[in-house]
Amino acid sequence: MATVKAQPIRPAKMERIILLCVLSTCLSAVHTQNFLFSSKRGPIGYKDRDEQRDGTVMDEIIKTNEFQAARMLDGTTSLREGDIAVTSGRRSKACFARSCLWSKSVDGHVYIAYQFSPEYSEMETSLIKKGMENIEKGTCVRFVPWTHQQDYIDIQPKSGCWSYLGSRGGRQTLSLQNPDCLQVGVIAHEFMHALGFVHEQSRFDRDNYITIMWPNIWRDRLRNFEKFRTDSLGLPYDYSSIMHFGMYAYSQDGEPTIIPKSTKAIKLGQTSTLSHIDRMKINRLYNCGEDDDY
Ligand SMILES: [Zn+2]
């Protein structure tokens, strides 16, 4: 029977081993330094890999808000569900009781006044307008430049892509960081929050339609997957809503965090436009009828 005898390590071999050890220590130190001093901010353990994102609007928002934006917007305001601004101490209005809606004009339209930060270039403002037009198409919402209105949206290139939920009364900021948030779909998504909508997978009945893969979610972001007492406005669960998280949202290991229960092949979320049901949602929330003639 053949046996392998343990060979004593010769001095030359030993030197090579020591050299290899030193090299690998140096390499890991360089890696650690890159990680610690990286200009990107991001969760430890969260893998920022291209292949784990499937290109939804929410993936773009997560990429910007988690890796580049500040954690706290100011001393009292933080982000819920990744991109909804919440001010501590201020009771957030119950949007689904229709108490945070923008007011409706007698002509049947919902006019929402907006103002651009002077920091945006002309090209950037025309891109933001495209996002707003995406909301207007097929809905009763119309965005109008601010003149004197008491309630209006102040669009600012602050840190990250975010909005408050619904109308807060008075001036309210909606942040579209430049250039990361200046994509039609991302802009439309943030305006949907300003109209009063939370994310689609936060619906109270979502567990009938999707499975949340809790073990795959980055620990510090579990709260982004909470359910809320929402009013579904009599509309079906919308896998392709612009407000739906992608399948890999907040994945810590590249594995899916949301799996549709449907047997059909379904893609979650949207890349650049409201779904048909998103438009119906707006018209129902604002009691506008469902004509496509708007
Ligand atoms: Zn959002």
Side-chain angles (χ1 to χ4, degrees):
M1 198 169 71
T3 55
V4 179
K5 278 189 186 165
Q7 296 280 326
I9 299 174
R10 283 170 293 167
K13 211 172 186 179
M14 185 70 99
E15 268 170 32
R16 254 180 284 155
I17 291 170
I18 291 169
L19 188 67
L20 275 175
C21 289
V22 170
L23 260 176
S24 78
T25 313
C26 284
L27 281 174
S28 65
V30 167
H31 179 79
T32 311
Q33 202 175 19
N34 277 343
F35 179 77
L36 288 175
F37 300 103
S38 161
S39 58
K40 277 177 164 187
R41 298 178 208 198
I44 294 165
Y46 186 103
K47 290 185 182 167
D48 179 29
R49 294 197 319 220
D50 280 340
E51 66 265 32
Q52 83 168 216
R53 294 193 294 267
D54 50 1
T56 66
V57 164
M58 196 59 204
D59 292 321
E60 292 302 321
I61 294 170
I62 292 171
K63 193 169 79 178
T64 304
N65 290 6
E66 291 294 338
F67 290 91
Q68 295 180 43
R71 292 275 176 272
M72 288 292 283
L73 306 179
D74 58 42
T76 55
T77 309
S78 59
L79 294 180
R80 194 186 81 187
E81 288 186 64
D83 67 334
I84 301 174
V86 181
T87 302
S88 60
R90 178 175 170 140
R91 259 190 91 210
S92 50
K93 290 184 193 173
C95 273
F96 296 96
R98 297 174 188 257
S99 61
C100 69
L101 301 191
W102 296 85
S103 48
K104 198 168 141 192
S105 158
V106 282
D107 73 3
H109 286 107
V110 176
Y111 293 102
I112 300 177
Y114 68 89
Q115 188 180 44
F116 285 124
S117 157
E119 288 174 59
Y120 289 119
S121 71
E122 209 172 301
M123 217 174 74
E124 288 157 358
T125 56
S126 71
L127 192 56
I128 298 171
K129 279 183 190 161
K130 281 203 171 70
M132 295 194 278
E133 283 163 13
N134 196 258
I135 297 269
E136 292 176 339
K137 202 177 150 199
T139 75
C140 58
V141 172
R142 294 291 177 269
F143 294 100
V144 291
W146 181 74
T147 49
H148 63 284
Q149 296 87 338
Q150 199 193 337
D151 302 339
Y152 67 102
I153 298 178
D154 187 16
I155 308 163
Q156 297 263 354
K158 288 188 177 285
S159 180
C161 330
W162 50 264
S163 169
Y164 289 94
L165 191 60
S167 165
R168 312 176 85 211
R171 183 181 73 87
Q172 71 184 66
T173 303
L174 183 148
S175 171
L176 296 169
Q177 182 180 316
N178 182 10
D180 309 84
C181 310
L182 298 185
Q183 301 172 43
V184 172
V186 171
I187 296 160
H189 178 106
E190 296 308 335
F191 276 98
M192 285 292 281
H193 284 315
L195 284 170
F197 296 99
V198 288
H199 295 119
E200 185 71 1
Q201 80 289 333
S202 305
R203 270 173 65 143
F204 71 102
D205 59 348
R206 62 109 183 272
D207 294 323
N208 297 330
Y209 306 97
I210 53 166
T211 306
I212 303 288
M213 305 300 287
W214 295 103
N216 299 342
I217 300 169
W218 175 46
R219 291 284 159 274
D220 287 1
R221 290 295 179 269
L222 291 172
R223 288 196 63 187
N224 289 348
F225 290 78
E226 281 176 356
K227 280 190 284 188
F228 293 96
R229 263 192 302 130
T230 55
D231 178 354
S232 52
L233 303 161
L235 289 168
Y237 189 87
D238 187 11
Y239 289 106
S240 58
S241 169
I242 200 165
M243 306 310 284
H244 208 300
F245 278 14
M247 194 177 261
Y248 299 92
Y250 299 100
S251 168
Q252 63 170 349
D253 49 11
E255 295 298 316
T257 51
I258 304 176
I259 295 182
K261 284 190 170 165
S262 168
T263 48
K264 286 187 236 158
I266 280 176
K267 188 179 180 300
L268 300 180
Q270 279 285 340
T271 52
S272 62
T273 186
L274 267 67
S275 70
H276 180 62
I277 297 178
D278 284 330
R279 297 185 196 285
M280 289 172 78
K281 251 184 250 171
I282 296 175
N283 289 335
R284 287 211 185 168
L285 185 63
Y286 284 90
N287 270 325
C288 290
E290 280 164 30
D291 293 342
D292 280 335
D293 313 335
Y294 282 113

